[in-house]
């Protein structure tokens, strides 16, 4: 079923103007919710299509998801589900993913399969990692309490009395059980359980956590890991959107426009202006005509990285805030290769998502691991008899901006990725029908993200939840949504931050 495009009577009539900088999932979710609640909303995006890291592009009949390929939060009660219900619009068609990931450790030909069925996953991990069940049970217990807490929409981190009230109202006795673990990392807990030297378990956790938290098991905050490592199982789960990831932003845009909001693509916001201590306006540049103008609004929502927000404020950025952002640990970039292939390249019964670690030497990330998403017949991404294979790895952004020969470096990474993928897929000049790659420079160009950093702020103890960056910035009427804020990266995470901002704006 398509989106309902009949205008819906706004719940509130509200003459307040809101400007949203960026039509990523965070910005679009905030914009659509506010338009539905009667605000007058204008969204500017510098790109040619909405969706940011969760958008798509087309080549030779293939549709490639730019970044995000799987979605959490579509199950009843999940964040996307809740938002589509509030917007009175059908969620995009999606199928649950089973298995969420097949993880291949170095030298192993049988993967660790992260099943959707909790019992099947329990049996799998007991077989793969003997003696580790008490560790997983702790994660499960913490996940249950943290998930219920997050579903009650706490504001984290709180920045005023209203935020604190929302936070305390979300607390239940179960939440208090998680408190003693606020300062723990996964690495510490592995040692408490005597699992510190279990190399296979440690490596599996490193691989999975890097995907979700940017950092490895040693550094990832335990409470964050409890969610990241449990969300793939029922009754939650990960989903594959029919058609492409673009379906998510398309639905949000449809709701926004139905409710009178505007989306202006190829419009760059160059500055945020502050007068008498509060945000009042932005300077917009129309990329095609070069025309610039000032757009005044009651609220400004920035769906950009925290680093970009500081740049947009220029000399009006509060010093303490700029310093905090500057001192954040370096963020990662991504190298992504997009292949359109003949189905002969895909092994039989290929799982939709795979993770490979190629050797145990050195930290996981640069050059030794790949996360791979493979389309399946009929999912709308490839013509009959063909498929898309998208593989990504972490990379140091600075290396791409300061290299002597960018083209040569990109070609080298591409060839290395194809060589690694060829150990599993049947990749030859005949089976590869299209290939291209994205680097931090590509992400900087198409998503506007500072130096092409992706994935938000790493979920270390010092930067997650209560210690993370707030949606309420130090400048009144200026809000930050997206993966720099709690609860972190992913389309589900940024949707929570959008919902938080909507509630905060309504409460002003
Ligand atoms: C390779 C990769 C794989 C990933 N896989 C997954 C996955 O499988 N599942 C998942 O849930 N998440 C995944 N993620 C993470 C997820 O895509 C992001 O966390 C999420 O989409 C970020 O959304 P956002 O709203 O914070 O902003 P963004 O997606 O960064 O969007 C910001 C938008 O703002 C616009 N913009 C920026 N600056 C300006 C400006 N000055 N003026 C106007 N417009 C501006 C940009 O053009 C962009 O459209 C992945 C990310 C990457 C890079």
């Amino acid at each position: 079923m398509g989106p309902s495009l009949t205008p819906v009577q706004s719940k509130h009539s509200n003459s307040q103007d809101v400007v949203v900088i960026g039509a990523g999932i965070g910005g679009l979710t905030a914009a659509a919710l506010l338009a539905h609640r009667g605000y007058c909303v204008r969204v500017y995006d510098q790109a040619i299509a909405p969706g940011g890291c969760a958008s798509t592009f087309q080549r030779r009949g293939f549709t490639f998801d730019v970044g995000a390929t799987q979605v959490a939060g579509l199950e009843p009660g999940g964040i996307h589900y809740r938002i589509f219900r509030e917007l009175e619009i059908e969620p995009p068609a999606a199928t649950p993913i089973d298995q969420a990931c097949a993880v291949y450790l170095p030298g192993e030909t049988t993967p660790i399969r992260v099943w959707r069925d909790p019992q099947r996953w329990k049996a799998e991990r007991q077989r793969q990692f003997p003696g580790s069940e008490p560790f997983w049970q702790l994660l499960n217990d913490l996940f249950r309490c943290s998930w219920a807490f997050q579903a009650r929409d706490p504001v984290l981190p709180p920045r005023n009395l209203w935020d604190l009230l929302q936070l305390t109202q979300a607390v239940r006795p179960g939440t208090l059980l998680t408190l003693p673990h606020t300062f723990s990392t996964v690495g510490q807990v592995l040692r408490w359980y005597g699992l510190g030297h279990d190399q296979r378990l440690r490596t599996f956790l490193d691989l999975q956590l890097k995907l979700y938290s940017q950092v490895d098991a040693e550094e990832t905050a335990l409470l964050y890991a409890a969610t990241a490592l449990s969300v793939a199982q029922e009754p939650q789960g990960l989903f594959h959107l029919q058609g492409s990831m673009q379906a998510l932003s398309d639905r949000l845009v449809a709701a926004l426009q139905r409710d009178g909001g505007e989306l202006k693509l190829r419009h760059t916001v160059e500055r945020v202006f502050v007068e008498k201590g509060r945000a009042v306006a932005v300077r917009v540049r129309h990329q095609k005509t070069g025309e610039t103008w000032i757009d005044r609004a009651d609220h400004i929502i920035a769906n950009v990285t925290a680093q970009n927000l500081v740049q947009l404020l220029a000399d009006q950025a509060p010093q303490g805030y700029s310093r905090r952002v500057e001192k954040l640990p370096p963020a990662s970039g991504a190298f992504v290769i997009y292949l359109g292939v003949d189905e002969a390249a895909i092994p039989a019964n290929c799982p939709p998502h795979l993770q490979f670690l190629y050797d145990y030497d050195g930290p996981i990330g640069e050059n030794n691991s790949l996360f791979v998403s493979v389309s399946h017949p009929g999912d709308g991404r490839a013509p009959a008899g063909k498929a898309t294979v998208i593989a990504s790895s972490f990379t140091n952004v600075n290396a791409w901006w300061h290299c002597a020969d960018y083209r040569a470096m990109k070609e080298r990474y591409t060839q290395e990725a194809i060589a690694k993928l060829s150990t599993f897929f049947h990749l030859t000049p005949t089976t590869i029908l299209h290939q291209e790659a994205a680097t931090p420079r590509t992400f900087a160009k198409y998503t506007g993200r500072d130096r092409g950093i992706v994935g938000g702020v790493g979920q270390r103890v010092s930067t997650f939840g209560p210690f993370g960056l707030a949606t309420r910035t130090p400048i009144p009427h200026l809000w930050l949504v997206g993966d720099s804020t709690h609860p972190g990266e992913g389309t589900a995470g940024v949707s929570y931050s959008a919902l938080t901002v909507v509630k905060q704006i309504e409460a002003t």
Side-chain angles (χ1 to χ4, degrees), residues 77-200:
I79 184 67
H80 288 304
Y81 177 91
R82 285 174 57 196
I83 283 162
F84 284 116
R85 273 192 81 132
E86 175 169 343
L87 293 173
E88 299 170 80
I89 202 161
E90 280 292 312
T95 44
I97 303 174
D98 191 20
Q99 45 211 280
C101 201
V103 180
Y104 287 83
L105 297 182
E108 300 188 12
T109 47
T110 309
I112 300 155
R113 296 179 193 274
V114 182
W115 297 104
R116 175 172 160 80
D117 174 356
Q119 291 311 319
R120 211 168 171 194
W121 169 227
K122 186 174 178 182
E124 174 84 12
R125 70 192 185 224
Q126 287 182 348
R127 199 169 53 79
Q128 294 281 355
F129 314 116
S132 66
E133 198 47 31
F135 164 77
W136 292 103
Q137 282 310 322
L138 173 68
L139 286 188
N140 272 350
D141 294 345
L142 293 175
F143 170 63
R144 267 204 311 278
C145 300
S146 309
W147 191 257
F149 172 63
Q150 186 60 45
R152 292 187 288 268
D153 301 334
V155 173
L156 269 172
R159 287 289 180 262
N160 71 4
L161 269 180
W162 186 87
D163 292 355
L164 193 62
L165 190 66
Q166 308 309 303
L167 176 60
T168 48
Q169 282 175 349
V171 172
R172 299 285 184 282
T175 325
L176 300 177
L177 296 177
T178 64
L179 282 185
H181 298 285
T182 309
F183 297 98
S184 306
T185 66
V186 176
Q188 282 168 338
V189 172
L190 284 173
R191 287 189 284 279
W192 292 342
Y193 284 108
L195 298 165
H197 297 294
D198 184 334
Q199 191 190 29
R200 286 189 78 249

Side-chain angles (χ1 to χ4, degrees), residues 3 182 200 210 243 402 474 481:
T182 309
R200 286 189 78 249
K210 272 284 240 180
H402 304 300
V481 297

